[in-house]
């Protein structure tokens, strides 16, 4: 027999068939550094700083980039970012607003177009105006002529889409309506449709003004087909219609 004191002195997990939990794996130096870095970011309320910065932006991509910012411990990257910021402040002081505020995010529209979806005239106009705004922003940076080289290196990557923008604006009016000259066939087709419509209107005017045309009002009570809905219809004598159209 063993006394209660003996059992209390027995080593934990020393009994037959008992297994102890494995010790947690030691973190690598890189993982430990990342863990400490993440804790430091939270301690400094950096996510809140990002939110505040994003709230000051006026261009949809700028807001996204602000929310993705991360502190850097790389001296070269820190120097580059500080230089870009200093040049951006200088550019705003010299050139002022470069015209990107309020632009609509075109990516949902472009995804729809890529799937052969249809875009309205207003949606096409918003894309054309965005292309124009981006090009003007590039020109504003380039106009400073070497005083903001870091920003110029970014601006040269902006593609020149002026030809596409011009073709879109030539095909649309200021409300997004498609103009007759949008395609070679659209204008003639619209002209034919307008001519046919005018002929039909004149024919209906002749028919409605001819006293030979007999119009009978049919009520639901007298027509089984309409008794369920109580709908009434106008019945034009086929003979009168034929005679009036021949005259």
């Amino acid at each position: 027999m063993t006394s209660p004191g003996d059992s209390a002195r027995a080593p934990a997990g020393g009994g037959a068939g008992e297994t102890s939990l494995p010790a947690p794996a030691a973190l690598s130096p890189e993982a430990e550094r990342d863990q400490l870095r993440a804790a430091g970011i939270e301690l400094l309320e950096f996510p809140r700083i990002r939110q505040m910065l994003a709230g000051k932006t006026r261009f949809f991509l700028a807001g996204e980039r602000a929310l993705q910012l991360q502190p850097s411990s790389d001296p070269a990257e820190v120097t580059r970012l500080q230089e870009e910021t200093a040049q951006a402040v200088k550019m705003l002081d010299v050139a002022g607003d470069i015209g990107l505020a309020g632009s609509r995010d075109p990516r949902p529209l472009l995804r729809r177009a890529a799937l052969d979806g249809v875009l309205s005239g207003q949606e096409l106009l918003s894309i054309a105006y965005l292309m124009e705004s981006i090009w003007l922003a590039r020109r504003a940076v380039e106009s400073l002529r070497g005083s903001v080289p870091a920003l110029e290196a970014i601006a040269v990557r902006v593609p020149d889409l002026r030809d596409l923008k011009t073709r879109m604006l030539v095909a649309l009016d200021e409300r997004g309506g498609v103009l007759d000259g949008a395609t070679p066939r659209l204008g003639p087709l619209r002209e034919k449709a307008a001519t046919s419509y005018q002929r039909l209107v004149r024919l209906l005017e002749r028919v409605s003004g001819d006293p030979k045309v007999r119009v009978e009002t049919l009520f639901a009570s007298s027509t089984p087909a309409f008794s369920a809905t109580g709908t009434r219809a106008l019945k034009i004598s086929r003979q009168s219609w034929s005679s009036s159209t021949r005259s």
Side-chain angles (χ1 to χ4, degrees):
M1 291 182 65
T2 59
S3 66
D6 295 334
S7 61
R9 289 189 297 269
E18 294 183 3
T19 58
S20 60
L21 295 176
L27 293 176
S28 65
E30 293 80 6
E32 187 175 359
R33 183 171 61 248
D34 291 341
Q35 191 178 67
L36 291 174
R37 182 169 178 268
I41 289 175
E42 291 294 333
L43 184 62
L44 294 173
E45 297 187 338
F46 195 73
R48 184 184 176 192
I49 296 174
R50 282 194 299 242
Q51 290 285 350
M52 295 172 62
L53 178 61
K56 298 293 184 180
T57 62
R58 297 189 295 169
F59 186 53
F60 62 92
L61 286 179
E64 291 183 2
R65 292 294 298 273
L67 294 174
Q68 295 170 0
L69 284 176
Q70 293 288 346
S72 177
S73 58
D74 181 5
E77 183 179 11
V78 171
T79 300
R80 177 182 63 82
L81 294 174
Q82 288 179 338
E83 184 62 25
E84 288 180 2
T85 302
Q87 293 183 20
V89 172
K90 179 179 180 180
M91 181 191 68
L92 293 176
D93 289 340
V94 174
D97 191 352
I98 60 175
L100 291 177
S103 299
R104 177 180 178 180
D105 185 354
R107 287 171 293 185
L109 304 181
L110 297 177
R111 283 193 289 267
R112 192 200 313 165
L115 296 174
D116 293 332
V118 177
L119 302 184
S120 69
Q122 287 288 348
E123 291 170 335
L124 290 171
L125 277 182
S126 69
I127 295 175
Y129 291 150
L130 175 61
M131 289 190 289
E132 182 176 14
S133 297
I134 292 176
W135 178 254
L136 292 177
R138 170 179 167 173
R139 296 298 298 160
V141 174
E142 292 175 340
S143 67
L144 299 180
R145 302 186 182 282
S147 60
V148 287
L151 300 186
E152 291 180 33
I154 298 173
V156 295
R157 299 200 297 266
V158 175
D160 185 357
L161 301 175
R162 287 177 292 173
D163 181 62
L164 176 59
K165 177 212 67 177
T166 299
R167 283 186 286 159
M168 293 172 65
L169 293 180
V170 165
L172 301 168
D173 62 24
E174 64 277 5
R175 296 185 301 274
V178 180
L179 298 174
D180 290 347
T183 67
R185 298 182 59 188
L186 182 58
L189 285 174
R190 283 182 170 177
E191 185 177 355
K192 290 181 180 179
T195 301
S196 300
Y197 174 77
Q198 293 172 359
R199 288 176 179 173
L200 178 60
V201 169
R202 287 195 296 268
L203 175 61
L204 292 176
E205 289 175 346
R206 289 171 54 193
V207 170
S208 61
D210 193 334
K212 296 180 180 179
V213 178
R214 181 167 52 89
V215 180
E216 297 178 356
T217 304
L218 302 179
F219 292 93
S221 58
S222 60
T223 306
F226 296 100
S227 59
T229 61
T231 304
R232 64 181 185 177
L234 295 178
K235 179 181 179 182
I236 300 179
S237 168
R238 179 179 299 178
Q239 181 178 0
S240 299
W241 175 274
S242 299
S243 61
S244 64
T245 54
R246 286 196 300 268
S247 61

